[in-house]
């Protein structure tokens, strides 16, 4: 907690759950999610808006949570990686990333997933090029992106066919 | 040999938690009321510290302490981190201080640690710590450092030579004297940063009841870290535990023990309070070790047919400001350059030069990419001069399949002879060339050129030393509930180590991956360990896991045969039970484990030692050599200098493959890293050794849109004779030939302009001046 | 890398926002945050107050108004990207937006924020220069309009007072027959351009150039309009040779150099990008309609 700067109580919904929590006004949304709400699935890789590891869905739109203040989320709805699975059932994108070895260390994965969830909402039948462009702002040092692109095309196809996730 | 589990692309043990956001990286560890650290770091590349005033920082509400060396020294057995690997090559000692208090020798060196209620407050206060510097002359470029009157990177040092040695064999003088042709070139590969997506981090906490100090660190070498810390803090081995939690990528620098680990652990001990420090990306650029910066001045001697007669020259290696690991990167370069080829005489003089920059230690590839770059560039030069096809020239010089096992005249850093243990290099290159359409390419190239398009094809071979010994222990234990626990000194940093160990164990113990728990990188789980580096874990830990699992299997079969009253031969382990082959009578592994746990006053069935467990440290001293060939196709926009990689064909041989998808993943990841080194990644310093690339907007990593279309990987499988499983390491192979292959392709594409590439990364402004007839700028 | 301490204000009306900026010392307006937030995290800026404009709903929106299109300063880049109004009335902007950052940054980033940050390499800045956008600012003394040519006061500094806010940007709508092109050279997709070029060409009935625009981003400290090139094209038949020749004159523009890119390379790219933009614009210009 921060005793120097101003503090405000923030009310928001994260992954469908309502929270009301005080936070210093200078606290970034990524830190608030990770350290105040203990939702540590959202990762922080650069804190200057380049790596995309901190990507969350803000009112359904992908956003870099290191480039937002927690106070800006007051009254808004957020989805993080923890909110993608349906109980034990993984989201089709999660299952596909595992099938296609689209993750190694997994550090970039939460940001990839949230970004790609938005892509598939916008465009249920993306091309490989669409997928590459969609994640051009998400850096991965491990995979070379190939497995991620393949997984996304696979998941999109399964989602179009109406198949669910995997538990 | 493929097994039911080994050799299959089974689901990774790691995935589920990572995909659901349930993994535990170091920054995910927290304690109520935990304190946070921000470091005050040197703003100068070289200066004396006249004084540090912490009073204003201490006045900030929420600050608990501001620690300098003076505060730490009474608690430390040593001011310095003496972690350098032994070598007779050193010309001076350059150990890092725990905190700098007299002299700073690179930008980013830690001077003080501010401890506060939050990182926010700690950073507020860190800005108020006043360091009084007396700036000193700076050594920025290692080529200037050896000049007679060059300033010293360390004020009181006699010179800027960290180490020097030579490597070679045969009679170079004679080889060069009788050569039909001799060609000489200078090459430079620029500095790079590891840039794991997770930076480093440390959490330390003292458990008051047991007085055990635990440090969670994103380290690749927890056991080594524990040894250093025990020594520094004077703690008994059983009062200190080092744990590697989930790690968001290592790529080399996380194998080093860092000052921040010592400071945070010590602070947690002093205050009895849990403390965390997480490296931010800006710190990663100035405090995590770097690699690659090397200047080579090389000569090659060939006969009229292009047969290599000799290779000689000098290697100037930028060592950075301290010895944080050893002479191993330069050694790795010097040892790698000749490997794929038959080179009768070789002589290299190697100097490791001290500069006022971040210390150099291995990054994925560890000196080998530079060596391959130089060797392959030289071969392209020979091919061009002698008008021999580049592939044909290589064919004439590669170690032939029939020569393997090939005893090279080289020795490893531990003095063991380098023997290329298995593989068929010409076959591997042929496979890659064939897939890439090498023969037909000149026709395609001419057709493209007729339309004003510049396409080019490049080729590079590598042979890579993997599986650095001598051992990595693994214990396998079947618990009384039947669950199989595997522990290893190997450390997982994102390369699927847990899955690999579980596969090897599952193959022998029932083939049920879900019944296996792996702990990797916890000094509390296993006593000895080396950790992750040198593409060694599958080879070393995999071999130990195999041996330990076999032992446990034999014991389980033996005991079960007594319990079931049948011969051992009739039994197999399937799922969680030992049963008659093909089904029938069975006993659960849990029952077997209970039986061997013993009952007071009763025999243990089968009269075995108690416990269904085994620990193995398979010793393998010799390294096993993987090889490969990479063919890259590029298109260069001759108006802008933009290089687009349009195709990558990668044929490789890493012995037996344990998990095809993981192997491919490692290779593709390495290729991405290598493409970055070839085209994008540039860690710049100005003439004052001030870093000029300090954000990810300036230091460019490969992004998804810059990757070529799916990489074509061809697997050759020549099992290594050096270990039971026949495996070789693969974690670094992808990166090794990339700068060489890309440079070869770019040169080929720009052949009409006579462009020659001697430096990477290849950047567009440079290419444009080359196209316009200038030679490549060899200064930063 | 954490933001420094500051006080936070989130007004709901433009009036309140202006009032806050006029009364608070050392205040910074926070729009989409894609430039200001990294600078706060890195402590390159140390404001005492942050005035967040994200709740000022009147600042968002796209409105076609006859021969102009008006865009509220807080309109997100994503909304511009997906706007059919923009696609028809201002296709140059649509094309430029495909080069702007990444989907996460376009979801938050705003047009007003981009113009005020005034990075000379930013795509929307180059578009505003090319199209002679008019920037409306609101301050304690009311509203005023600034033609974009007068908007940059220097490198990354708009000619507005720190008590003023950009409220709206107005772009003229060019005839449908115009050929447009936005091209850029950047190291990776989504990076700021090293050099970008925006071109607009309108042909007359005889196939000669009747209106021409060429703007360059990334070359100089501020976005550049190449008036000489434009003048050299007008009234001429736009042959490949002419385009090549006029583009080549860009080699003498004053260019900035840095450790990554020497000025001479920027000048070289200025020629190449200009030619490519003009060629593409020409290929898209509707000759038949002009002739009709
Ligand atoms: S942490 Fe937010 S973009 Fe890198
Ligand atoms: S999986 Fe490690 S950074 Fe993407």
């Amino acid at each position: 907690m921060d005793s120097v700067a101003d503090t405000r109580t923030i009310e928001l919904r994260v992954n469908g759950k309502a929270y009301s929590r005080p936070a210093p006004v200078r606290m970034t949304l990524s830190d608030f999610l990770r350290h105040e709400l203990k939702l540590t699935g959202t990762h922080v890789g650069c804190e200057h808006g380049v790596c995309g590891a901190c990507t969350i869905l803000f009112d359904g739109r992908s956003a870099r949570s290191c480039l937002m203040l927690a106070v800006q989320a007051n009254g808004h709805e957020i989805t993080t990686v923890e909110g993608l699975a349906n109980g034990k059932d993984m989201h089709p994108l999660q299952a596909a990333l595992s099938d296609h070895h689209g993750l190694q260390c997994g550090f970039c994965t939460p940001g990839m997933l949230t970004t790609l969830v938005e892509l598939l909402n916008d465009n249920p039948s993306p091309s490989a090029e669409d997928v590459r462009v969609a994640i051009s702002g998400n850096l991965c040092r491990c995979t070379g992106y190939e497995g991620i692109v393949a997984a996304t095309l696979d998941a999109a196809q399964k989602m179009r066919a109406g198949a669910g996730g995997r538990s | 040999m493929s097994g039911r589990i080994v050799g299959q692309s089974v689901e990774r043990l790691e995935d589920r938690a990572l995909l659901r956001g349930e993994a535990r990286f170091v920054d995910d560890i927290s304690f109520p009321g935990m304190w946070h650290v921000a470091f005050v770091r040197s703003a100068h590349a070289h200066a004396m510290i006249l004084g540090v005033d912490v009073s204003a920082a201490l006045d900030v509400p929420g600050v608990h302490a501001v620690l300098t060396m003076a505060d730490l020294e009474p608690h430390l057995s040593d001011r310095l981190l003496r972690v350098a690997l032994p070598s007779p090559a050193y010309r001076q000692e350059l150990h890092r201080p725990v905190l700098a208090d007299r002299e700073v020798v690179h930008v980013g060196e830690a001077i003080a640690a501010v401890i506060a209620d939050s990182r926010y407050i700690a950073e507020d206060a860190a800005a108020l710590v006043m360091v009084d510097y007396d700036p000193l002359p700076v050594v920025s470029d290692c080529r200037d450092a050896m000049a007679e009157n060059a300033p010293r990177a360390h004020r009181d040092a006699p010179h800027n030579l960290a180490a020097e040695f030579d490597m070679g064999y045969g009679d170079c003088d004679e080889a060069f004297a009788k050569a039909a042709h001799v060609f000489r070139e200078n090459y430079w590969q620029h500095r790079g940063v590891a840039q794991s997506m997770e930076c480093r981090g440390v959490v330390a906490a003292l458990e008051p009841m047991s007085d055990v100090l635990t440090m969670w660190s994103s380290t690749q070498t927890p056991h080594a870290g524990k040894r250093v810390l025990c020594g520094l803090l004077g703690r008994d081995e059983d009062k200190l535990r080092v744990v590697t939690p989930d790690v968001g990528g290592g790529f080399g620098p996380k194998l080093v023990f860092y000052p921040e680990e010592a400071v945070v652990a010590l602070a947690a001990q002093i205050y009895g309070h849990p403390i965390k420090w997480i490296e931010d990306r800006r710190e990663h650029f100035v405090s995590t070790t770097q690699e690659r910066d090397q200047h080579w001045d090389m000569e090659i001697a060939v006969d009229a047919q292009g047969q290599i007669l000799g290779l000689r020259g000098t290697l100037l290696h930028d060592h950075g400001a301290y010895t944080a690991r050893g002479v191993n990167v330069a050694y790795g370069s010097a040892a790698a350059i000749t490997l794929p080829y038959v080179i009768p005489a070789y002589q290299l003089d190697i100097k490791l030069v001290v500069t006022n920059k971040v210390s150099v230690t291995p990054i994925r590839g560890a000196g080998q990419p530079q060596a391959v770059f130089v060797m392959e560039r030289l071969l392209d030069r020979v091919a061009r001069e002698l008008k021999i096809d580049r592939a044909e020239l290589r064919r004439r010089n590669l170690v032939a399949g029939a020569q393997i096992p090939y005893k090279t005249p080289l020795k490893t850093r531990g003095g063991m002879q380098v023997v290329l243990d298995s593989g068929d290099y010409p076959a591997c290159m042929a496979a890659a060339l064939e897939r890439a359409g090498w023969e037909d390419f000149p026709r395609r190239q001419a057709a493209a050129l007729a339309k004003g398009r510049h396409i080019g094809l490049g080729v590079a071979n590598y042979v890579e030393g993997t599986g650095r010994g001598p051992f990595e222990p693994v214990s396998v234990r079947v618990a009384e509930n039947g669950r199989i626990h595997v522990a290893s000194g190997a450390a997982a940093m994102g390369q699927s180590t847990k899955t690999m160990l579980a596969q090897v164990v599952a193959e022998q113990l029932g083939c049920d991956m879900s019944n296996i728990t792996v702990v990797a990188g916890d000094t509390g789980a296993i006593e000895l360990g080396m950790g992750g580096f040198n593409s060694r874990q599958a080879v070393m830990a995999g071999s130990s896991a195999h041996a330990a699992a076999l032992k446990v299997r034999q014991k389980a079969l033996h005991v079960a045969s007594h319990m079931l009253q049948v011969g051992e031969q009739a039994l197999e382990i399937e799922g969680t039970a030992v049963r008659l082959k093909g089904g029938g009578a069975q006993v659960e592994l849990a029952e077997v484990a209970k039986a061997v746990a013993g009952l007071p006053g009763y025999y243990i069935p089968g009269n075995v030692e108690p416990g269904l467990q085994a620990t193995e440290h398979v010793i393998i001293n010799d390294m096993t050599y993987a090889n490969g060939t990479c063919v890259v196709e590029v298109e260069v926009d001759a108006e802008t200098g933009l290089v687009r990689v349009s195709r990558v064909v990668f044929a490789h041989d890493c012995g037996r493959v344990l998990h095809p998808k993981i192997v491919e993943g490692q290779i593709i990841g390495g290729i991405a890293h290598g493409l970055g080194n070839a085209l994008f990644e540039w860690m710049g310093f100005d003439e004052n050794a001030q870093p000029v690339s300090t954000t990810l907007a300036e230091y460019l990593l490969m992004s998804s849109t810059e990757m070529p279309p799916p990489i074509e990987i061809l697997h050759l499988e020549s099992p290594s004779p050096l270990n039971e499983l026949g495996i070789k390491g693969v974690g670094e192979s992808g990166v090794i030939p990339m700068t060489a292959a890309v440079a070869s392709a770019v040169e080929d594409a720009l052949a009409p302009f006579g462009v020659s590439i001697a430096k990477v990364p290849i950047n567009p402004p440079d290419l444009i001046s080359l196209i316009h007839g200038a030679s490549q700028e060899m200064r930063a | 890398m954490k933001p420094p301490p500051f006080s936070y204000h989130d007004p709901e009306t433009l009036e309140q926002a202006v009032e806050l900026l006029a009364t608070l010392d050392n205040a910074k307006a926070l729009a989409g945050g894609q430039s200001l937030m990294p600078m706060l995290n890195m402590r390159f800026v140390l404001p005492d107050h942050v005035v967040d404009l994200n709740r000022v709903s009147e600042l968002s929106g796209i409105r076609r108004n006859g021969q102009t299109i008006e865009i509220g300063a807080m309109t997100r880049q994503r909304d511009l990207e997906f706007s059919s109004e923009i696609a028809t009335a201002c296709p140059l902007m649509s094309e430029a937006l495909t080069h702007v950052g990444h989907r996460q940054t376009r979801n938050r980033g705003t047009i007003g924020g981009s113009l005020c940050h005034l990075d000379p390499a930013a795509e929307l800045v180059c578009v505003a220069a090319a199209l002679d956008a008019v920037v409306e600012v609101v301050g304690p003394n009311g509203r005023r309009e600034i033609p974009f040519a007068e908007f940059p006061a220097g490198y990354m500094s708009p000619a507005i007072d720190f008590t003023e806010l950009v409220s709206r940007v107005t772009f003229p709508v060019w005839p449908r027959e115009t050929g447009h092109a936005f091209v850029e050279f950047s190291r990776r997709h989504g990076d700021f351009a090293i050099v970008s070029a925006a071109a607009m060409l309108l042909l007359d009935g005889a196939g000669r150039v009747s209106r021409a625009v060429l703007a360059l981003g990334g070359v100089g400290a501020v976005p550049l309009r190449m008036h000489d090139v434009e003048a050299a094209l007008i009234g001429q038949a736009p042959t490949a040779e002419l385009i090549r020749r006029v583009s080549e004159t860009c080699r003498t523009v004053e260019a900035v150099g840095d450790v990554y890119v020497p000025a001479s390379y920027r000048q070289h790219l200025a020629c190449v990008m200009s030619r490519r933009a003009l060629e593409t614009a020409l290929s898209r210009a509707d000759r038949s309609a002009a002739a009709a």
Side-chain angles (χ1 to χ4, degrees), chain A residues 102-109 112 139-143 148, chain B residues 196-198 248-249 251 494:
Chain A
L103 69 160
Q104 290 181 24
C105 78
F107 199 78
C108 67
T109 310
M112 292 283 178
L139 296 174
C140 173
R141 190 56 147 166
C142 300
T143 65
I148 301 170
Chain B
S196 49
M197 292 324 298
E198 177 204 38
F251 311 115

Side-chain angles (χ1 to χ4, degrees), chain B residues 123-124 639-640 679 701, chain C residues 1 187-188 265 268 276:
Chain B
E123 288 189 14
D124 296 346
E639 285 189 327
T640 63
L679 296 170
L701 296 174
Chain C
M1 233 193 218
R187 293 300 312 274
R188 300 173 305 178
Y265 179 68
H268 172 74
R276 291 183 182 179

Side-chain angles (χ1 to χ4, degrees), chain B residues 1 3-7 10 13 472-479 482-488 490 496-520 526 537-538 540-554 556 573-577 589 612-616 656 658 725 727:
Chain B
M1 165 194 113
R4 283 170 60 195
I5 301 280
V6 167
V10 294
L13 244 48
E472 189 65 67
V474 173
S475 73
V476 175
R477 179 171 62 88
V478 182
R483 198 153 179 83
I484 300 167
H485 294 268
V486 180
S488 172
S496 321
T497 302
K498 293 183 182 179
T499 299
M500 178 273 292
L501 292 172
Q503 277 182 283
V504 171
V505 171
E507 186 69 35
Q508 303 306 331
L509 294 174
C511 290
D512 181 358
M513 292 281 286
S514 68
N515 191 35
I516 298 182
T517 306
V518 182
V519 175
I526 192 158
Q537 301 205 119
M540 303 311 303
S543 295
S544 294
H546 180 62
L550 271 178
K551 270 208 176 151
V552 172
R553 174 188 174 83
Q554 271 146 20
I573 304 177
E574 181 60 33
T576 58
L589 278 174
L612 190 48
Q613 64 190 56
T615 300
E616 287 293 321
R656 199 167 146 222
L658 293 181
L725 295 168
I727 49 188

